[in-house]
Amino acid sequence: MPVNIVFASHHNTLKTAPYLLEALIQRRSQFLLEQINRSESTVSVVLMDDASMTDYNQQYRSKSGPTNVLSFPTVEGQHDMDQVLPDELAHDELGDILISVETAQREAQKKGISLHQRLTELLIHGLLHLIGYDHEISDEQAESMFSREKELFDFIQHHYARRKKMPQLTINVDHIATIRQARGGTEPDPVLAAGICELAGAKGIVVHLREDRRHIQDRDVRLLRQTLKTRLNLEMANVKEIVEIALEIQPDMITLVPEKRKELTTEGGLDVMNNKKKLFKTIRKMTKAGIPVSIFIDPDAAQVAAAQEVGATYVELHTGRYCDAENEQERDKEFHLIEQTAELAFEKGLRVNAGHGLDYRTTTRIAGIPGIEELSIGHAVIARSAFVGLDQAVREMQACIDQARQ
Ligand code: PXP
């Protein structure tokens, strides 16, 4: 493998999701090596914290404090830049790029970009140094390096062109049905509620037809199919009975979730890795019927890869742990996990949704993650509707999403 990634310290940012960072940096570095005509070369990327970077900065540049990136070319002073090399030189080791993820994280926050975008900028900078660019030699060289940097960054952004649009709000009306089922009667009707949500601006309606029918009933799904003006996303377990209903009713998409009889709500993402065969069969049936499939997963690189393998169109990233975090540090950690998994899924060509547990405090930050197409929100909106009405509750949630634009 041309890119060796080394974790040289145990800072929190690195502990959050080393495998995710690794997968993302691996893909970006390989892509960049191709762009600079070095796809056969080897490079090492060493990720560290500020303390380790401070040591290197002192030792090799006699400068105090940490810096964001340092490059150590295998051959000092080479000036090939990114010219195409003759074959005998094409397999060279280019050298090492040291990056302080802690500094990168701070810089990303300051610039209002994702950690991954900042790491990409630093990787570009480090790589260009390795192949002979040097902004410290002269103004002319600095200009040449910075313009090549910009060119590569713009190219990579364009290559991974993501939706700049804000995610769309879809409302889960299960808990309108929960209230109805409490008395076993006909009111309130989730079908009527769905219409109110649409009039308030929701771009889709989600219902979970559970095997135990504790809230949404078959009749609700059938009527929603007939009456919705937007899109119907049917959440469901991967079981024969419900798969047959979905194939008959033809929602606009389905979201496969794990289901346990005794749980209060969906507790975690689906374990795609250990259910590939069954998932593959269902997804094939749905695809034949023209129904796109989303899989609800925890923010985890291995689950993303498995979802891609079984042929899912979307993944819905579980935001529950981010929403339930007990302190800000924990919340940050969960947020970065979701942000990086979204980026990874997006790069693998999956479409990305997110949801579970989102409320009026936690939604805006998630809505700001590039590439997320839909947020699926239920409990918080239905709970608030008891006080302010459903129309108002949906509009206020939409305002939380709109805030991410600012
Ligand atoms: N996404 C999935 C896959 C879910 O199972 C649920 C809950 O039904 C939601 C989103 C919505 O979660 P909440 O009701 O907490 O907003």
Side-chain angles (χ1 to χ4, degrees):
M1 205 175 308
V3 186
N4 307 311
I5 295 170
V6 182
F7 288 85
S9 53
H10 302 286
H11 184 262
N12 265 347
T13 325
L14 298 176
K15 269 194 274 178
T16 303
Y19 43 91
L20 264 177
L21 264 184
E22 186 169 345
L24 290 167
I25 288 180
Q26 187 72 250
R27 292 173 74 84
R28 284 276 156 111
S29 310
Q30 269 166 11
F31 183 79
L32 285 166
L33 283 170
E34 278 164 34
Q35 301 317 308
I36 59 170
N37 296 314
R38 295 291 190 282
S39 49
E40 305 297 322
S41 303
T42 314
V43 67
S44 294
V45 180
V46 188
L47 301 171
M48 55 182 57
D49 58 13
D50 276 350
S52 310
M53 182 57 102
T54 300
D55 292 345
Y56 283 99
N57 210 17
Q58 181 64 46
Q59 189 177 343
Y60 292 97
R61 298 170 73 220
S62 304
K63 293 200 171 165
S64 58
T67 184
N68 43 22
V69 59
L70 286 177
S71 292
F72 295 96
T74 310
V75 183
E76 282 291 346
Q78 61 180 7
H79 296 291
D80 304 318
M81 313 292 214
D82 40 357
Q83 303 302 314
V84 178
L85 294 179
D87 274 357
E88 65 273 19
L89 295 179
H91 299 274
D92 278 358
E93 258 182 44
L94 292 180
D96 302 334
I97 300 172
L98 277 50
I99 294 177
S100 167
V101 180
E102 230 181 321
T103 299
Q105 180 79 70
R106 272 198 311 278
E107 292 174 343
Q109 257 160 17
K110 210 164 155 191
K111 292 179 88 173
I113 59 177
S114 72
L115 171 63
H116 192 213
Q117 276 174 301
R118 184 62 190 143
L119 288 173
T120 304
E121 291 174 350
L122 297 176
L123 264 181
I124 293 174
H125 189 83
L127 266 178
L128 290 184
H129 268 305
L130 291 188
I131 58 171
Y133 285 87
D134 194 344
H135 54 94
E136 287 180 346
I137 289 181
S138 65
D139 286 351
E140 207 183 4
Q141 292 244 14
E143 203 182 309
S144 149
M145 179 163 179
F146 295 142
S147 86
R148 185 69 177 120
E149 264 181 25
K150 184 173 177 326
E151 196 175 62
L152 283 171
F153 190 74
D154 289 350
F155 186 74
I156 217 165
Q157 289 292 95
H158 178 72
H159 180 79
Y160 292 115
R162 67 208 52 241
R163 286 167 183 254
K164 293 263 192 286
K165 286 194 261 172
M166 286 293 114
Q168 298 199 325
L169 174 60
T170 65
I171 300 287
N172 178 319
V173 293
D174 289 353
H175 295 310
I176 295 290
T178 303
I179 302 173
R180 176 189 62 192
Q181 297 311 110
R183 286 287 166 96
T186 56
E187 287 188 332
D189 189 340
V191 180
L192 189 56
I196 294 171
C197 293
E198 286 186 321
L199 287 171
K203 297 297 187 297
I205 299 298
V206 188
V207 286
H208 185 174
L209 185 65
R210 296 184 81 105
E211 284 183 272
D212 63 10
R213 307 298 200 275
R214 68 171 71 161
H215 39 51
I216 292 294
Q217 306 297 307
D218 299 41
R219 161 267 184 206
D220 301 329
V221 189
R222 285 178 208 287
L223 281 178
L224 284 168
R225 174 68 294 179
Q226 290 168 34
T227 55
L228 284 188
K229 302 280 185 290
T230 58
R231 287 160 46 78
L232 174 62
N233 179 352
L234 180 63
E235 252 185 57
M236 52 182 271
N238 186 19
V239 293
K240 189 165 178 281
E241 182 209 357
I242 310 286
V243 167
E244 279 169 8
I245 293 174
L247 287 168
E248 184 210 324
I249 292 178
Q250 300 258 318
D252 294 290
M253 67 182 285
I254 63 161
T255 300
L256 294 170
V257 298
E259 208 176 286
K260 291 190 206 134
R261 292 261 160 173
K262 292 211 169 123
E263 68 191 353
L264 284 176
T265 178
T266 315
E267 282 170 355
L270 196 60
D271 182 358
V272 187
M273 281 186 295
N274 289 310
N275 287 287
K276 280 192 198 158
K277 214 165 151 195
K278 271 185 79 182
L279 284 166
F280 183 76
K281 266 173 80 177
T282 300
I283 292 174
R284 202 168 47 184
K285 280 187 199 160
M286 293 294 164
T287 308
K288 259 191 176 169
I291 304 169
V293 178
S294 176
I295 310 184
F296 184 56
I297 57 167
D298 289 330
D300 180 311
Q303 298 291 358
V304 170
Q308 186 195 30
E309 258 179 68
V310 296
T313 302
Y314 295 81
V315 283
E316 180 181 328
L317 300 180
H318 194 328
T319 48
R321 281 209 309 268
Y322 155 78
C323 295
D324 295 341
E326 286 183 357
N327 55 55
E328 281 315 300
Q329 200 185 3
E330 194 63 25
R331 201 185 299 282
D332 270 358
K333 187 180 122 195
E334 295 299 336
F335 175 79
H336 292 306
L337 211 54
I338 295 167
E339 188 184 43
Q340 289 173 19
T341 310
E343 189 107 21
L344 182 67
F346 187 86
E347 288 189 4
K348 281 181 176 289
L350 287 160
R351 299 175 71 174
V352 186
N353 296 336
H356 209 286
L358 292 170
D359 64 17
Y360 294 86
R361 291 177 195 86
T362 50
T363 295
T364 303
R365 199 169 175 202
I366 295 291
I369 297 177
I372 293 186
E373 294 189 35
E374 284 182 9
L375 296 178
S376 166
I377 307 181
H379 188 267
V381 171
I382 305 305
R384 183 146 179 80
S385 75
F387 299 114
V388 301
L390 187 53
D391 178 274
Q392 174 77 5
V394 172
R395 289 177 196 277
E396 286 178 17
M397 187 53 84
Q398 182 61 53
C400 291
I401 295 178
D402 294 342
Q403 253 179 33
R405 224 188 286 272
Q406 288 142 26

